[in-house]
Amino acid sequence: MLPSNNQSLQFSSQPRPSALVDSTTSMQVDKNEASFVARDEMQNGEFSQAKSIIESSKKLQDDLRMLGMKIKQHEDSIKLLKTQKNKLDDSILDMQVMLGKYHSSSAPKTENKDQLHLQSEEETTEQILRHEKSAAGILCQLKTRHGTQASHLTLTKDVLGPVAALGKVDDENLSRLFSEYLGVQTMLAIVCKTYEGIKALETYNQDGCIDKTSGLHGLGASVGRSLDGRYLVICLESLRPYAGDFVADDPQRRLDLLMPRLPNGECPPGFLGFAVNMIHVDSSNLFYDTASGDGLRETLFYNLFSRLQVYRTRAEMVLALPCISEGAVSLDGGMIRSPGVFSLGSREEVDVRFLKPSATSDVPQNYIETEKQMKEMRWEKEKLVEDMKRELALLNSVKFNFESKKQDFVKFLAQSSSYATQFQAARDRSTPR
């Protein structure tokens, strides 16, 4: 017998098995958990990315702020250096006026003395000009033709002159003796302040050969004097200067060298002094011929003569051998080049000698002091100009870095904005509605 309808309905309304209910509920829970996990991961990634953007932005802003401060510092330094340079220019001009007034007021009194000095300088110039194919001869020829304008040429603006023209010796015999000791090649050596001056004297082509159309070679051709063979050039800034003290209150700034002593402690008989201190140096070259403020005596002449001793006679020089450390000469022609190296034979007549000092002992001390101060100011001005060039180079470098960093920051902002837009769109798509 078939079941009735009531029985059928009763059967269909029976409760579902518990396993089926649990499975459905578990699926719903898993979906919800997966949704929460995905949402948490997105939030964590969003937080991490946002933190990275903030840190990168802060670093770029800090870098820009630091570079801006450096720009301000360099600009302030340049303004200060310009102010100092202008003050020095005014002071130098005032001192030039003072020295000009002195020359005007003392011209009649020193006419004969100036004439003696001029004759001495002309005599040395003539001696140098006899060496027609020498570098010194070419430079002297240029100076003879163009006067003071020659010193303003790019080729010669760093050149002080030949060795023979930079020192003076008041004794004729000593002058001949020192010239012989140094030799004609050294007496004709060109003295430059810096290595830049040396590079201007001679240039080379791609093969390393001398360019005969420029430098001293080109200048020689222009004045009808071809430059042959080698020539010496001395760079003052490359010399190791005397590092000791100077004789106190000496307007010539002679070196305070230790006197030679025999084993018994006494000074050798016949000792007259050191050659380096017997050279008279013009007041214009006593100071600030190098960037460190040194003059010709402690650079050029100290390197040429060192502690060369001068004695009255050869016999007295020989007796002093135990205390001769770096050579000696005597007024009667004796010569010791270095300990154990003697120069014998007849005296060699060198046809290029030092100038004779002009009679300027009556020049007022305040004039010498003013000249010294003016040269010191010019030296300080040159240093200021170099400092300004260096500050300007640093300023340009920092400005370049600032502009580069600013472009990086603008690109970063654009990329961050694009990322934020994309992230928001992805977030909106993932959010259930």
Side-chain angles (χ1 to χ4, degrees):
M1 178 182 294
L2 293 173
S4 64
N5 290 336
N6 291 332
Q7 290 176 336
S8 175
L9 290 171
Q10 290 174 1
F11 178 82
S12 62
S13 61
Q14 293 286 331
R16 294 181 181 179
S18 61
L20 180 61
V21 174
D22 292 343
S23 175
T24 303
T25 304
S26 175
M27 288 176 64
Q28 292 176 350
V29 170
D30 289 344
K31 287 182 180 179
N32 291 335
E33 287 182 354
S35 177
F36 289 143
V37 169
R39 192 175 303 162
D40 289 342
E41 289 179 351
M42 181 179 294
Q43 289 176 349
N44 290 336
E46 180 182 0
F47 176 76
S48 176
Q49 187 68 25
K51 182 179 179 182
S52 176
I53 290 173
I54 292 173
E55 289 176 351
S56 299
S57 176
K58 186 176 183 302
K59 184 179 184 307
L60 286 171
Q61 291 181 60
D62 289 343
D63 290 344
L64 284 171
R65 190 180 300 107
M66 184 63 67
L67 289 171
M69 291 173 59
K70 287 184 177 180
I71 289 175
K72 180 70 165 53
Q73 289 174 357
H74 290 306
E75 288 177 341
D76 290 344
S77 295
I78 291 174
K79 288 179 182 178
L80 178 61
L81 291 171
K82 284 183 178 180
T83 301
Q84 293 175 344
K85 176 181 173 294
N86 291 337
K87 289 181 179 180
L88 284 175
D89 285 334
D90 293 340
S91 298
I92 291 171
L93 183 60
D94 292 341
M95 289 187 175
Q96 286 176 335
V97 172
M98 290 174 58
L99 294 178
K101 290 180 179 179
Y102 169 80
H103 284 299
S104 299
S105 62
S106 62
K109 300 177 183 179
T110 61
E111 182 177 357
N112 293 334
K113 294 170 184 177
D114 288 343
Q115 185 66 24
L116 288 173
H117 173 67
L118 181 62
Q119 290 173 357
S120 174
E121 188 172 358
E122 286 182 346
E123 183 180 353
T124 301
T125 299
E126 289 176 2
Q127 293 171 357
I128 295 173
L129 287 174
R130 293 193 193 108
H131 295 262
E132 296 182 357
K133 297 183 178 181
S134 69
I138 292 173
L139 288 176
C140 282
Q141 181 69 24
L142 177 68
K143 185 178 179 181
T144 301
R145 291 188 179 185
H146 300 283
T148 56
Q149 294 180 351
S151 61
H152 300 300
L153 299 175
T154 303
L155 175 65
T156 59
K157 66 179 182 180
D158 203 43
V159 174
L160 290 177
V163 169
L166 297 177
K168 301 173 183 177
V169 180
D170 56 6
D171 182 80
E172 181 68 21
N173 186 38
L174 267 181
S175 180
R176 293 175 183 271
L177 196 59
F178 291 164
S179 299
E180 182 187 2
Y181 176 82
L182 295 178
V184 65
Q185 189 178 26
T186 300
M187 291 294 289
L188 293 174
I190 305 301
V191 180
C192 292
K193 291 183 179 180
T194 67
Y195 184 66
E196 291 300 317
I198 292 181
K199 291 196 294 186
L201 295 178
E202 190 167 275
T203 58
Y204 308 91
N205 57 29
Q206 294 180 348
D207 298 327
C209 299
I210 298 173
D211 184 356
K212 296 296 182 70
T213 63
S214 65
L216 269 183
H217 292 273
L219 179 61
S222 68
V223 297
R225 291 170 176 260
S226 60
L227 181 58
D228 290 340
R230 290 188 177 274
Y231 58 96
L232 293 181
V233 182
I234 300 173
C235 176
L236 289 185
E237 72 172 4
S238 299
L239 300 179
R240 178 177 295 178
Y242 166 74
D245 296 327
F246 295 87
V247 176
D249 301 324
D250 181 14
Q252 271 289 300
R253 279 171 57 86
R254 292 177 175 85
L255 312 184
D256 191 12
L257 301 171
L258 291 176
M259 299 286 282
R261 298 289 178 184
L262 292 170
N264 61 8
E266 296 181 358
C267 184
F271 174 74
L272 301 178
F274 293 97
V276 67
N277 284 336
M278 296 181 176
I279 302 293
H280 180 91
V281 180
D282 281 343
S283 57
S284 59
N285 288 323
L286 284 172
F287 304 90
Y288 308 109
D289 280 321
T290 67
S292 57
D294 298 313
L296 286 186
R297 188 182 306 282
E298 60 267 34
T299 54
L300 174 65
F301 293 114
Y302 181 69
N303 277 268
L304 292 178
F305 291 110
S306 189
R307 288 172 167 78
L308 181 74
Q309 300 174 18
V310 180
Y311 289 86
R312 187 168 46 245
T313 66
R314 191 192 309 265
E316 290 169 326
M317 181 181 70
V318 171
L319 289 174
L321 280 176
C323 56
I324 295 176
S325 60
E326 298 182 43
V329 294
S330 64
L331 298 183
D332 56 1
M335 187 176 296
I336 300 174
R337 292 283 178 181
S338 60
V341 181
F342 296 80
S343 184
L344 305 180
S346 301
R347 295 181 64 170
E348 179 184 356
E349 190 66 29
V350 177
D351 60 353
V352 180
R353 295 184 296 277
F354 286 107
L355 295 167
K356 299 174 184 176
S358 56
T360 56
S361 57
D362 58 341
V363 174
Q365 183 62 34
N366 61 345
Y367 174 91
I368 297 175
E369 187 63 27
T370 301
E371 193 175 47
K372 173 189 172 183
Q373 291 177 0
M374 187 171 69
K375 187 159 188 181
E376 181 178 0
M377 288 180 178
R378 284 175 174 165
W379 175 72
E380 290 178 354
K381 177 184 171 182
E382 289 177 1
K383 293 188 68 177
L384 286 175
V385 171
E386 291 300 319
D387 290 342
M388 288 170 60
K389 289 180 181 178
R390 184 166 55 254
E391 284 291 336
L392 184 59
L394 292 172
L395 174 62
N396 292 335
S397 176
V398 174
K399 281 185 174 179
F400 176 82
N401 292 336
F402 181 86
E403 291 299 323
S404 177
K405 188 68 69 174
K406 186 170 73 172
Q407 292 177 8
D408 291 343
F409 186 60
V410 172
K411 290 179 182 178
F412 173 79
L413 291 177
Q415 292 172 354
S416 301
S417 176
S418 175
Y419 169 80
T421 302
Q422 294 174 4
F423 189 85
Q424 184 62 42
R427 186 179 183 183
D428 291 343
R429 286 194 300 269
S430 65
T431 302
R433 300 188 180 185

